[in-house]
Amino acid sequence: MASELESQGPANLIRCSAGHGLQLERDRVHELLDGGQFFWVDVQSPSAADLDILREDLGFHPLSLEDSWRFGQRPKLDEYDEYVFLAVFGASSEGDEDGLVEVHCFYSDRYLVTLHRDDAPTIDELHERLAKREASL
């Protein structure tokens, strides 16, 4: 089942929001893993079920997922066997109390997974640019 946002963007991009959790895209994640193509999964407001999928299907370490459950991290970079975990900050939407969005990134040679609680305008802009680029090909 493809999300509305996914159908408007590149085939190797999965975007999930609070109302459209990763569990709805689990089969798509498996397709992308099996296909060997680099892919990006972006999850806003990840649930415990979303984090379970990341642990079970992508093998994410429990400590990095614990950080992503709690958020409130300092910027950091932790190396694991199969990926690198980064906690970074970017500008948030207008009207956000502190003006920052905390983004947790899991990066490997096969995928990029980004998790964030708040709206992330820069991620939205990047998605739009990727969609336009794909449409022009």
Side-chain angles (χ1 to χ4, degrees):
M1 170 191 245
S3 71
E4 180 182 327
L5 287 173
E6 179 188 350
S7 65
Q8 296 174 4
N12 63 336
L13 171 62
I14 299 173
R15 297 194 74 200
C16 301
S17 62
H20 183 90
L22 188 55
Q23 73 278 4
L24 296 175
E25 300 292 351
R26 195 172 203 165
D27 291 341
R28 183 73 184 124
V29 170
H30 285 276
E31 288 174 21
L32 291 167
L33 281 169
D34 293 344
Q37 181 182 10
F38 184 84
F39 63 95
W40 175 21
V41 176
D42 178 56
V43 182
Q44 181 175 352
S45 301
S47 67
D50 294 331
L51 299 181
D52 285 344
I53 290 170
L54 297 175
R55 179 181 47 78
E56 294 166 6
D57 297 4
L58 294 174
F60 288 180
H61 194 279
L63 288 177
S64 61
L65 291 172
E66 182 180 324
D67 287 345
S68 292
W69 180 247
R70 291 186 288 167
F71 279 80
Q73 301 295 311
R74 289 181 159 174
K76 68 177 182 174
L77 184 148
D78 292 331
E79 292 186 48
Y80 291 91
D81 291 338
E82 300 295 322
Y83 64 92
V84 175
F85 171 74
L86 298 99
V88 297
F89 290 82
S92 65
S93 299
E94 245 182 76
D96 185 63
E97 187 176 312
D98 64 2
L100 296 173
V101 59
E102 182 176 346
V103 181
H104 293 184
C105 307
F106 300 80
Y107 176 75
S108 82
D109 61 345
R110 300 178 66 200
Y111 54 76
L112 169 65
V113 175
T114 51
L115 307 176
H116 49 96
R117 285 191 180 160
D118 298 324
D119 289 335
T122 306
I123 289 176
D124 293 339
E125 290 170 18
L126 180 56
H127 175 258
E128 290 171 16
R129 284 198 318 258
L130 291 172
K132 286 178 185 174
R133 184 176 76 187
E134 178 142 310
S136 68
L137 295 178

